[in-house]
Amino acid sequence: MNTTTRIRLFLGAVFAIVICMLGATPLLHHMPFPLTDTWPIAVLLYALSTVRLGMSIWAAVLIVFVGLFQDFICEAPLGAWALAGLCGYGAGLVARGSFRAMSASIPVEFVSIIIGSIAGLMGLSLAGDIAGGAQVIDLSLVGDLIWTLGLYYLLSPLFAPYDEALSV
């Protein structure tokens, strides 16, 4: 991974932190019913976007950093969102490697973000159980996940570059 890609990954992490901070604004609580407290999950957007670059320690470290920041902003147990991001990143990498036989890259990316999202939710649930049985999977989190996956293709180029993506 070259220096330009590392800089873009760092700027993507900064952008994920900004998204996380904007999600904590009080204005979000006054939106109409279906959108109340609904905001994209920044660490999952970042983790799933970096999957297309392949395995990278640099990306994993930045995912942990963004996840820890999101823990502080969302008042989650320390390491919960970092674990969810790493689970999503790892499962997305495994799914991407497993579906290399597909000819088009969009189905491979679609499958990797779905499997990564499910693994991220499982990691978050595991972190909630470790932290004393906190119920983390609720209707607002499902709304956040749907919002995150809906914005994935629009926002993912801001997190990780497509031009450095590995060929599938």
Side-chain angles (χ1 to χ4, degrees):
M1 185 177 300
N2 61 20
T3 306
T4 306
T5 305
R6 288 182 183 171
I7 290 171
R8 290 199 54 196
L9 280 174
F10 178 76
L11 292 176
V14 170
F15 184 63
I17 287 172
V18 168
I19 287 177
C20 186
M21 287 173 45
L22 290 175
T25 59
L27 179 64
L28 196 62
H29 302 289
H30 300 294
M31 296 179 82
F33 168 65
L35 299 177
T36 304
D37 291 338
T38 303
W39 194 253
I41 304 169
V43 70
L44 276 181
L45 265 174
Y46 185 67
L48 296 174
S49 297
T50 56
V51 164
R52 70 175 160 266
L53 296 174
M55 190 181 300
S56 169
I57 297 296
W58 180 252
V61 168
L62 289 173
I63 289 168
V64 168
F65 179 72
V66 171
L68 289 175
F69 188 83
Q70 190 163 345
D71 288 336
F72 285 116
I73 293 292
C74 297
E75 298 177 0
L78 188 62
W81 282 112
L83 178 65
L86 285 177
C87 286
Y89 179 64
L93 285 173
V94 169
R96 188 170 178 87
S98 299
F99 290 96
R100 284 187 189 266
M102 291 186 174
S103 60
S105 64
I106 289 180
V108 173
E109 190 166 358
F110 181 74
V111 167
S112 68
I113 65 170
I114 295 299
I115 291 175
S117 298
I118 292 169
L121 284 179
M122 289 173 44
L124 186 63
S125 179
L126 177 68
D129 287 342
I130 291 172
Q135 180 67 15
V136 294
I137 308 294
D138 60 352
L139 191 58
S140 65
L141 181 66
V142 172
D144 292 344
L145 185 64
I146 290 170
W147 188 234
T148 301
L149 295 177
L151 290 175
Y152 173 78
Y153 282 105
L154 181 65
L155 295 180
S156 66
L158 299 174
F159 293 107
Y162 270 106
D163 53 335
E164 292 292 325
L166 298 174
S167 61
V168 185

